[in-house]
Amino acid sequence: SQKIEQNSEALNIQEGKTATLTCNYTNYSPAYLQWYRQDPGRGPVFLLLIRENEKEKRKERLKVTFDTTLKQSLFHITASQPADSATYLCALDIENQGGKLIFGQGTELSVKP
Amino acid sequence: GAVVSQHPSRVICKSGTSVKIECRSLDFQATTMFWYRQFPKKSLMLMATSNEGSKATYEQGVEKDKFLINHASLTLSTLTVTSAHPEDSSFYICSARDRVGGKLFFGSGTQLSVL
C-alpha cells in the first residue's frame, strides 16, 4: 500500500542545535517532494521543494535531501531557534503536476531556549 | 507574494445547517484549487480538486453531495458543507495553484464546529 510517514510525532531540541526530520514513503514515485511549516490554527506555509534529480537543496538555515533509492527525505534546520517551533509537514506531488499533494502526518518541533 | 484568502477563519453552526467557506486568490489566477480537511494532530487529507469552470474531482470516500464545491472564477472557489453534523467538525484548508508559476499557496484555514 502507499504510505508517507514522518519519523516522529514530536521532536524536542535545544536552541542552537540542528533539528533533523525524516520523511519516508513507499509505493510512490514522486517527481517532487515539498516541506511545509504549519503553526497551530493556520494553513501550511511552503518552505522548500526538491526535485527527484536533486540530491540536496538549501535555503538559509534549511537543508533538504532527497534519496529516491531509499525513498526518503531529510529536513534539517541548523542553529535552531525557539521561533522555529512548529509542525513540519512533508508532501509528495503524486501526479507530478505541481498541485495534488499527499501529506505526511507532520512532526511537531519544539526548540527550547 | 501570492496570497490566498480563506473565510471565515472560524464558524460555529447548529447541526443540520449549511456552511459556506470561501477561498480567494488575491493577486494571481488559480485554475486549480484544492480542499483539504485536517483533524487535530493529524495530516491534511485531500478532499477534492476544484477546476475553474468544471466539476470538482472528489477523492475516494468524500461525499460530493455533502461537500459542494464551486469554482466559478479564476480567483474564487467555495466549499459548502451541507446539512452539517458534529462529525463534520474539522479544520478545512484550501490551496490554490498559480497558473503562471505553478506554485501552490495555502489559505489560513477554517475551523468548523458543529453543535
Side-chain angles (χ1 to χ4, degrees), chain A residues 28-57:
Chain A
Y28 287 117
S29 296
Y32 310 94
L33 188 145
Q34 303 183 28
W35 284 89
Y36 288 81
R37 170 182 173 142
Q38 186 176 25
D39 290 285
R42 308 291 293 176
V45 174
F46 172 79
L47 295 176
L48 281 166
L49 177 152
I50 187 164
R51 292 177 171 79
E52 61 178 342
N53 61 350
E54 296 175 314
K55 292 266 191 276
E56 180 180 300
K57 185 166 268 191

Side-chain angles (χ1 to χ4, degrees), chain A residues 9 34 36 38 41-46 89 97-106 108, chain B residues 34 36 38 41-44 46 49 59 91 93 95 97 102-109:
Chain A
E9 284 193 4
Q34 303 183 28
Y36 288 81
Q38 186 176 25
R42 308 291 293 176
V45 174
F46 172 79
L89 302 158
Q97 293 173 7
K100 187 171 177 176
L101 299 179
I102 302 299
F103 283 85
Q105 79 275 25
E108 187 175 350
Chain B
F34 302 88
Y36 288 84
Q38 187 177 35
K41 295 193 180 294
K42 297 293 184 185
S43 184
L44 281 75
L46 180 65
T49 302
E59 295 299 302
F91 192 57
I93 308 172
S95 66
R97 182 169 171 240
K103 284 190 176 179
L104 198 62
F105 302 94
F106 282 82
S108 55

Side-chain angles (χ1 to χ4, degrees), chain B residues 62-73:
Chain B
V62 178
E63 298 175 59
K64 61 181 181 182
D65 295 329
K66 172 78 172 170
F67 300 99
L68 299 178
I69 291 172
N70 183 281
H71 192 159
S73 77

Side-chain angles (χ1 to χ4, degrees), chain A residues 4-6 21-25 33 35 71-73 90:
Chain A
I4 174 169
E5 288 184 332
Q6 294 185 237
L21 285 66
T22 306
C23 177
N24 295 293
Y25 59 93
L33 188 145
W35 284 89
K71 295 186 182 292
Q72 180 182 79
S73 175
C90 68

Side-chain angles (χ1 to χ4, degrees), chain B residues 25-114:
Chain B
S25 56
L26 294 186
D27 53 1
F28 66 98
Q29 293 183 327
T31 49
T32 305
M33 290 187 175
F34 302 88
W35 287 95
Y36 288 84
R37 182 175 182 175
Q38 187 177 35
F39 291 103
K41 295 193 180 294
K42 297 293 184 185
S43 184
L44 281 75
M45 300 298 297
L46 180 65
M47 298 174 66
T49 302
S50 167
N51 294 299
E52 186 263 336
S54 64
K55 288 184 180 178
T57 303
Y58 289 81
E59 295 299 302
Q60 193 173 6
V62 178
E63 298 175 59
K64 61 181 181 182
D65 295 329
K66 172 78 172 170
F67 300 99
L68 299 178
I69 291 172
N70 183 281
H71 192 159
S73 77
L74 283 171
T75 59
L76 174 64
S77 176
T78 60
L79 168 69
T80 301
V81 182
T82 61
S83 187
H85 289 285
E87 57 264 31
D88 298 326
S89 299
S90 188
F91 192 57
Y92 293 87
I93 308 172
C94 70
S95 66
R97 182 169 171 240
D98 179 354
R99 75 171 185 171
V100 174
K103 284 190 176 179
L104 198 62
F105 302 94
F106 282 82
S108 55
T110 297
Q111 181 63 53
L112 171 64
S113 300
V114 184

